[in-house]
């Protein structure tokens, strides 16, 4: 495929995006505007993440793409194919083997290392957006560190539901400075945001890039008497028996049958390959992998 | 004693048109000042300039700050001025909708200023919110209702509670009773008078309703065409108006 430049975007565009990424890494949590390009996929399908990935990829990289933790859903499959076609990079489903992971709405269960990059697809980068519609005003609030409004949202949660009911896109404070939307990851993943890998966030429609350098301090906002709690379904994985992973609830018939399975498919597969079996799991066979 | 607010030669022009010009006065702690005048006389422009919503073209607005004594709010940095706006100052809008967050419950509205200055204990914030709803005569069981579910008078009282919860020293009010029916107006005025006296607030009230200033204001400024034409003690100005326009204003009040 010589018709495409490596990783689809032209070199000038990649340089522009890299400059935005460097700036974002220099100011953790700060939303850097960038000239987002039209991509051959609709907004909402990860145009921001794809552009950040394209700017970071080198021919030697190994790419993994996940959507809600799974490697085999439409969004993940199509983005993986996109880069196989336009960059001819190696791809993998194994978290540990990937050097660059593009993700939608999850952080892999397996801890990432210093030589990995995690790229998030972000629909709405502004954490204050639904409270303050004016972009001029929210930028001023970030500049002046006026974040009282974020707690109004959490206050509303407690007064309505008795607890902080925000379960995803849970706001965090980065290095004691910027309040950031960690993209719609479940709040179960929030404690993992302080990690060894570089984390990049790309919002294509909103034209913003922000980033967390390795080992950045990331604190989930809360009240003194209603502390942050990373929650998950109170269950073990029915396939691999894991008690510590984030679970999807799957409806299995129309008679109320359901099962809970790991949302991280690679983590579940690796555990079953190692011989762990959950309540409804069958013994792992190499052929089905 | 230093005045809480000293205004010197304030002027604001909209192109060649005069918003207000040559306004100077001192406001002392605990004093309530009324500004009256007809529509278009520049009283709302003046209030916006004083409260920092509109940059004036000329003049000084010197506020006696807590930590640093008298300082010109117009030359302050923006973070300082915004801090002042949510701690020592309060602004009550004519339309409660402009001053409230309509999508947030009454408790959240009152608690916002507390959270903006760093309160992070849900129980304490809620306690204070309920206490303040009580002080403006809103039942405690309405604390989780949104302002949309409130009547106009209740919304206005909620706006007042939201503003006063951080114990400001200076309150700006723009037609606080506008758009309310007379019996609701009377109750609101009664409430405001009580709060102002009890908390020792200073206030600047813009209105075209002479009854409001008669009840609330210690001192009165009458504006016409962007200038102050007469000022003095409220009773003195209303009972013995000197300027032709003030005489017209006082005689225009309907007697029932």
């Amino acid at each position: 495929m010589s018709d495409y430049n490596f990783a689809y975007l032209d070199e000038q565009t990649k340089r522009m995006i890299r400059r935005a990424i460097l700036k974002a890494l220099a100011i953790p949590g700060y939303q850097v505007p960038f000239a987002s390009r039209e991509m051959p996929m609709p907004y909402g399908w990860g145009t921001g993440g794809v552009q950040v990935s394209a700017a970071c990829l080198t021919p030697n990289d190994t790419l993994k793409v996940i959507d809600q933790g799974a490697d085999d859903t439409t969004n993940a499959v199509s983005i993986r194919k996109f880069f196989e076609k336009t960059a001819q990079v190696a791809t993998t489903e194994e978290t540990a083997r990937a050097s660059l992971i593009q993700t939608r709405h999850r952080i892999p269960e397996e801890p990432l290392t210093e030589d990995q990059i995690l790229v998030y697809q972000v629909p709405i980068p502004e954490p204050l957006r639904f409270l303050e519609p004016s972009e001029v005003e929210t930028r001023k609030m970030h500049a002046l560190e006026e974040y009282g409004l974020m707690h109004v949202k959490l206050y509303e949660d407690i007064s309505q539901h008795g607890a902080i009911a925000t379960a995803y896109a849970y706001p965090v404070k980065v290095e004691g400075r910027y309040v950031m939307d960690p993209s719609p990851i479940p709040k179960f993943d929030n404690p993992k945001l302080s990690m060894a890998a570089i984390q990049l966030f790309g919002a294509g429609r909103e034209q913003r890039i922000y980033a967390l350098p390795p080992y950045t301090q990331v604190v989930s906002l809360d009240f003194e008497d209603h502390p942050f709690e990373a929650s998950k379904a109170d269950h073990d994985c029915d396939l691999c028996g894991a008690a510590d992973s984030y679970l999807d609830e799957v409806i299995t018939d129309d008679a109320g049958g359901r099962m809970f399975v790991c949302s991280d498919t690679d983590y579940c597969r690796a555990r079953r390959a190692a011989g762990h079996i959950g309540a409804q799991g069958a013994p792992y066979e190499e052929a089905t992998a | 004693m230093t005045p809480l607010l000293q205004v010197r030669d304030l002027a604001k022009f909209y192109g060649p048109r005069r918003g207000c010009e040559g306004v100077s006065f001192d406001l002392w702690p605990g004093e309530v000042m009324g500004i009256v005048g007809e529509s278009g006389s520049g009283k709302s422009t003046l209030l916006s300039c004083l409260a920092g919503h509109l940059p004036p073209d000329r003049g000084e607005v010197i506020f006696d700050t807590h930590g640093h004594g008298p300082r010109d709010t117009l030359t302050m940095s923006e973070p300082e001025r915004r801090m002042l706006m949510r701690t020592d100052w309060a602004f009550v809008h004519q339309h409660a909708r402009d001053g409230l967050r309509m999508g947030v419950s009454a408790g959240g509205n009152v608690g916002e200023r507390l959270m903006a200055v760093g309160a992070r204990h849900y129980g304490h914030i809620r306690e204070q919110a309920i206490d303040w709803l009580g002080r403006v005569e809103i039942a405690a069981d309405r604390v989780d209702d949104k302002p949309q579910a409130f009547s106009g008078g209740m919304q206005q009282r909620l706006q007042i509670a939201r503003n006063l919860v951080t114990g400001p020293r200076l309150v700006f009010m723009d037609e606080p009773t506008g758009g309310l029916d007379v019996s609701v107006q009377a109750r609101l005025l009664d409430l405001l008078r009580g709060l102002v006296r009890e908390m020792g607030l200073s206030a600047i009230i813009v209105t075209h309703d002479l009854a409001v200033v008669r009840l609330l204001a210690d001192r009165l400024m009458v504006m016409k065409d962007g200038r102050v034409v007469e000022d003095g003690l409220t009773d003195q100005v209303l009972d013995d108006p000197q300027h032709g326009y003030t005489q017209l204003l006082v005689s225009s009040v309907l007697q029932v």
Side-chain angles (χ1 to χ4, degrees):
Chain A
M1 287 295 295
S2 55
D3 300 346
Y4 289 113
N5 188 35
F6 176 74
Y8 186 77
L9 292 173
D10 61 276
E11 293 303 313
Q12 284 299 321
T13 299
K14 285 196 265 182
R15 284 177 67 181
M16 174 271 292
I17 294 172
R18 286 175 195 142
R19 279 197 294 270
I21 291 173
L22 289 175
K23 186 170 178 181
L25 282 166
I27 320 170
Y30 172 73
Q31 299 167 47
V32 182
F34 79 110
S36 177
R37 298 288 191 257
E38 290 268 347
M39 295 302 281
M41 61 188 72
Y43 289 127
W45 282 72
T47 52
V50 163
Q51 289 179 77
V52 170
S53 295
C56 291
L57 275 179
T58 65
N60 300 327
D61 269 320
T62 306
L63 178 73
K64 171 183 162 83
V65 185
I66 52 176
D67 170 9
Q68 306 273 11
D71 290 275
D72 53 1
T73 47
T74 319
N75 197 208
V77 169
S78 63
I79 290 174
R80 188 162 56 233
K81 280 199 177 145
F82 175 77
F83 282 119
E84 278 172 359
K85 194 169 176 182
T86 60
Q88 288 113 38
V89 290
T91 56
T92 180
E93 296 195 0
E94 284 175 49
T95 303
R97 283 188 52 216
S99 56
L100 191 147
I101 303 172
Q102 178 167 339
T103 176
R104 173 174 177 265
H105 306 183
R106 264 321 300 279
I107 296 175
E109 302 291 353
E110 193 175 324
L112 301 184
T113 60
E114 284 178 8
D115 34 291
Q116 289 178 307
I117 298 176
L118 185 60
V119 176
Y120 294 79
Q121 303 171 199
V122 181
I124 294 165
E126 178 52 71
L128 301 161
R129 176 58 66 241
F130 291 110
L131 301 154
E132 175 53 61
S134 158
E135 175 71 16
V136 173
E137 185 65 19
T138 52
R139 280 208 207 185
K140 200 171 274 177
M141 290 161 83
H142 281 295
L144 303 179
E145 273 187 88
E146 290 180 3
Y147 290 132
L149 198 52
M150 206 68 247
H151 273 86
V152 173
K153 179 179 154 40
L154 302 179
Y155 171 95
E156 289 290 285
D157 261 7
I158 303 174
S159 71
Q160 278 175 38
H161 307 288
I164 299 178
T166 302
Y168 65 95
Y170 193 101
V172 294
K173 194 161 204 179
V174 179
E175 285 289 332
R177 179 59 182 84
Y178 284 98
V179 165
M180 186 189 95
D181 182 345
S183 88
I185 59 171
K187 66 178 169 184
F188 174 81
D189 282 343
N190 270 24
K192 296 188 218 160
L193 286 164
S194 296
M195 64 159 79
I198 290 176
Q199 296 171 81
L200 305 173
F201 298 77
R205 178 180 44 209
E206 305 282 330
Q207 314 201 321
R208 295 288 185 276
I209 287 173
Y210 50 104
L212 295 173
Y215 307 112
T216 303
Q217 182 208 53
V218 182
V219 178
S220 304
L221 299 179
D222 59 3
F223 284 105
E224 287 157 19
D225 48 344
H226 286 268
F228 171 79
E229 221 174 305
S231 61
K232 68 182 272 282
D234 189 18
H235 217 273
D236 292 348
C237 174
D238 280 328
L239 294 180
C240 75
D244 58 350
S245 74
Y246 191 74
L247 302 174
D248 284 340
E249 185 178 4
V250 181
I251 308 290
T252 51
D253 55 33
D254 59 1
R258 63 195 60 211
M259 63 191 291
F260 289 89
V261 297
C262 291
S263 96
D264 186 337
T265 50
D266 175 57
Y267 182 74
C268 200
R269 183 198 53 74
R271 273 182 59 88
R272 278 183 295 142
H276 299 278
I277 300 178
Q280 298 182 45
Y284 185 78
E285 287 169 47
E286 199 61 48
T288 61
Chain B
M1 193 156 84
T2 37
L4 189 65
L5 193 72
Q6 303 172 56
V7 178
R8 296 282 169 267
D9 192 30
L10 201 70
K12 170 75 188 171
F13 291 88
Y14 299 105
R17 240 175 283 282
R18 179 168 58 218
C20 62
E21 190 180 8
V23 180
S24 301
F25 65 89
D26 288 342
L27 185 76
W28 299 85
E31 192 179 34
V32 178
M33 162 104 104
I35 303 174
V36 295
E38 60 191 359
S39 296
S41 61
K43 50 192 197 310
S44 291
T45 298
L46 175 60
L47 194 73
S48 297
C49 288
L50 295 176
H53 296 173
L54 209 60
D57 294 317
R58 215 176 41 229
E60 291 174 349
V61 179
I62 299 163
F63 181 72
D64 185 19
T65 58
H66 246 311
H68 303 282
R71 295 196 46 198
D72 188 352
T73 60
L74 301 176
T75 55
M76 259 183 194
S77 70
E78 189 168 15
E80 286 177 300
R81 189 161 53 236
R82 283 172 71 111
M83 191 62 184
L84 203 59
M85 280 183 191
R86 54 177 196 268
T87 52
D88 269 354
W89 287 7
F91 196 102
V92 177
H93 293 262
Q94 174 175 8
H95 302 291
R97 286 171 176 275
D98 298 337
L100 292 173
R101 287 191 191 278
M102 298 306 282
V104 169
S105 71
N109 264 296
V110 178
E112 182 180 341
R113 269 173 85 110
L114 294 171
M115 291 181 250
V117 294
R120 291 292 179 265
H121 191 286
Y122 174 81
H124 297 168
I125 293 167
R126 198 171 167 81
E127 230 168 74
Q128 282 200 60
I130 290 175
D131 175 47
W132 264 98
L133 290 182
R135 288 164 82 165
V136 297
E137 298 166 17
I138 296 175
D141 64 351
R142 302 299 301 270
V143 66
D144 292 330
D145 290 352
K146 299 212 166 135
Q148 278 123 337
F150 288 5
S151 69
M154 279 171 85
Q155 287 182 2
Q156 198 59 286
R157 293 200 302 266
L158 177 61
Q159 194 196 177
I160 288 164
R162 166 185 161 88
N163 272 291
L164 298 189
V165 66
T166 47
R169 293 189 293 151
L170 175 59
V171 186
F172 301 98
M173 297 192 210
D174 189 6
E175 310 264 12
T177 58
L180 301 175
D181 71 61
V182 281
S183 62
V184 175
Q185 272 190 28
R187 270 180 68 197
L188 187 71
L189 285 174
D190 209 31
L191 179 79
L192 273 177
R193 192 160 58 166
L195 289 173
V196 164
R197 295 282 174 266
E198 180 191 329
M199 297 176 71
L201 291 173
S202 301
I204 296 178
I205 300 176
V206 160
T207 180
H208 52 245
D209 188 342
L210 292 183
V212 170
V213 286
R214 175 77 91 173
L215 273 171
L216 283 180
D218 305 309
R219 237 159 21 107
L220 195 58
M221 272 185 356
V222 183
M223 292 190 71
K224 172 133 176 63
D225 297 333
R227 294 178 187 280
V228 177
V229 293
E230 186 165 356
D231 69 319
L233 297 174
T234 304
D235 291 342
Q236 180 193 329
V237 174
L238 292 183
D239 293 340
D240 182 18
Q242 301 294 311
H243 190 273
Y245 173 69
T246 316
Q247 292 171 353
L248 179 73
L249 196 68
V250 171
S251 61
S252 304
V253 174
L254 290 174
Q255 302 294 333
V256 207

